[in-house]
Structure formats: C-alpha cells, structure tokens
C-alpha cells in the first residue's frame, strides 16, 4: 500500500539525523546568550521540532502555533490564518525561532514572522527542515535550512498526505499516479 504511494525516498532517516544534528549545533551556538523560545508550527513540524529541540543544548522554551493556508489540494491558497496562537507577557524579551517542516510559497513563515514582530518580539528567526525555493511566491528566505528540495510534493516525518503518513520516519516523494487518482 505505502509502496504504491511512494515514488522515491527523498531524505532518509540517516540524512534527517545528520541534518538535525548540524542545525542543533548551529542554533546552540547562535542562541547561547539569548532568550530562545522555539515556536513549532503544528502539525507538520512536530517530529522535526522534537528531534531538533533535543539537539539544542541551550536553555529554551517551547510554544505551538497552528496556521491554515492550504485548500484540499497541493497548492497554497496564499492567505494564512491563525488556528492556534499563544500569548505571553514578555514578547519584548524573547528571541523566537519558528520551526517549520517545509517552506513552499513562503506565505506561512513570512506571515508568522510579521505576526510575532507585531506582538513586540525582540527577535524572530526561522528554521525549516525542507526548502522548495523554486516555489516561492513572496520574498522570504529562512535563516536555517535543513536541505533544499526540488518542486515535488513530499510527505512523511511530520508532513502529511491528506492528513495521513505523518508518522513515517523519512521524507518521500508522492507517486504521480497516486496524485492523479486523487484528481490532483
Ligand atoms: P507555504 O506557506 O506555501 O510556504 O507552505 C507551508 C506549508 O505548506 C507547510 O507547512 C506544509 O504544511 C505545506 N506544504 C507545502 N509543501 C508541501 C509538501 O510538499 N508536502 C506536504 N505539505 C506541504
Ligand atoms: Mg506546515
């Protein structure tokens, strides 16, 4: 069943481990003297956030947000809405690092950076496991990137295919036959 949906494995478990280790070291170094607050974007970045947080060896706090920008298909609607937000009294003292699974059009992270800055954040940076720069629709570049990938729809390691398969431990490309069968 799963085999018929996968075109190929794009980022293996081993590659994910080494990416997470490298990013953890960079973030640990860059945030040693800062007030780090990790902001995980639900649901897609949960696996990545949990693994990355374990590799960040400096004191940090964790917050969670949930946004909505996708219709039923694989194309962004362009408009971002907050479904889950957080509040705290000390925005001006916090160095936020927003953790995403993938940057596609750039709408979600651009919106979240502006949203946190509008609330008075001391600083806001972004970290993504996967980056698809060829799909960018707005002027946005993440600060920390796991790996750049081609313009193909991927799933696994937090990323969903119609809300399923978030639990597979690697990132895979969806077979075109499967997308066609779903009229995408
Ligand atoms: P953006 O706002 O267009 O940059 O898209 C960000 C969100 O779109 C991500 O957090 C994902 O939830 C979703 N997304 C974009 N590309 C993919 C993909 O290839 N597979 C699964 N989800 C994706
Ligand atoms: Mg996401």
């Amino acid at each position: 069943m799963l085999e018929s949906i996968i075109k190929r494995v794009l980022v293996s478990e081993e590659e994910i481990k080494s990416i997470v280790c490298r990013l953890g070291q960079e973030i640990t170094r860059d945030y040693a003297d800062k007030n780090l607050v990790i902001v995980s974007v639900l649901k897609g970045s949960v696996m990545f956030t949990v693994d990355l947080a374990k590799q960040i060896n400096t004191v940090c706090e964790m917050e969670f947000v949930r946004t909505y920008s996708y219709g039923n298909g694989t194309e962004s609607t362009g408009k971002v809405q907050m479904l889950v937000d957080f509040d705290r009294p000390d925005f001006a003292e916090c160095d936020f690092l927003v953790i995403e699974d993938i940057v596609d059009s750039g709408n979600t992270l651009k919106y979240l950076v502006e949203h946190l800055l509008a609330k008075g954040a001391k600083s806001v940076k972004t970290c993504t496991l996967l980056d698809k720069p060829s799909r960018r629709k707005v002027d946005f570049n993440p600060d920390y990137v796991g790996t750049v990938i081609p313009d193909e729809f991927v799933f696994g390691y937090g990323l969903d295919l119609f809300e399923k398969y978030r639990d597979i431990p690697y990132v895979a490309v969806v077979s075109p036959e499967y997308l066609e069968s779903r009229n995408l």
Side-chain angles (χ1 to χ4, degrees), residues 21-80:
C21 195
R22 169 179 60 83
L23 290 174
Q25 285 171 4
E26 287 177 27
I27 293 164
T28 300
R29 184 195 62 213
D30 296 350
Y31 283 85
D33 304 321
K34 298 209 159 90
N35 232 344
L36 176 60
V37 180
I38 285 171
V39 180
S40 179
V41 185
L42 296 169
K43 305 172 191 175
S45 81
V46 162
M47 306 273 180
F48 179 45
T49 302
V50 168
D51 287 345
L52 182 61
K54 288 185 273 188
Q55 299 301 322
I56 298 176
N57 296 314
T58 184
V59 179
C60 71
E61 293 184 38
M62 290 173 93
E63 298 284 4
F64 295 86
V65 292
R66 190 164 170 209
T67 60
Y68 177 80
S69 66
Y70 270 65
N72 288 323
T74 59
E75 292 288 327
S76 171
T77 58
K79 212 173 144 249
V80 183

Side-chain angles (χ1 to χ4, degrees), residues 72-74 162 176-184:
N72 288 323
T74 59
F162 307 103
E177 293 79 18
Y178 179 75
L179 286 181
E180 264 164 42
S181 74
R182 303 283 306 231
N183 289 321
L184 293 170

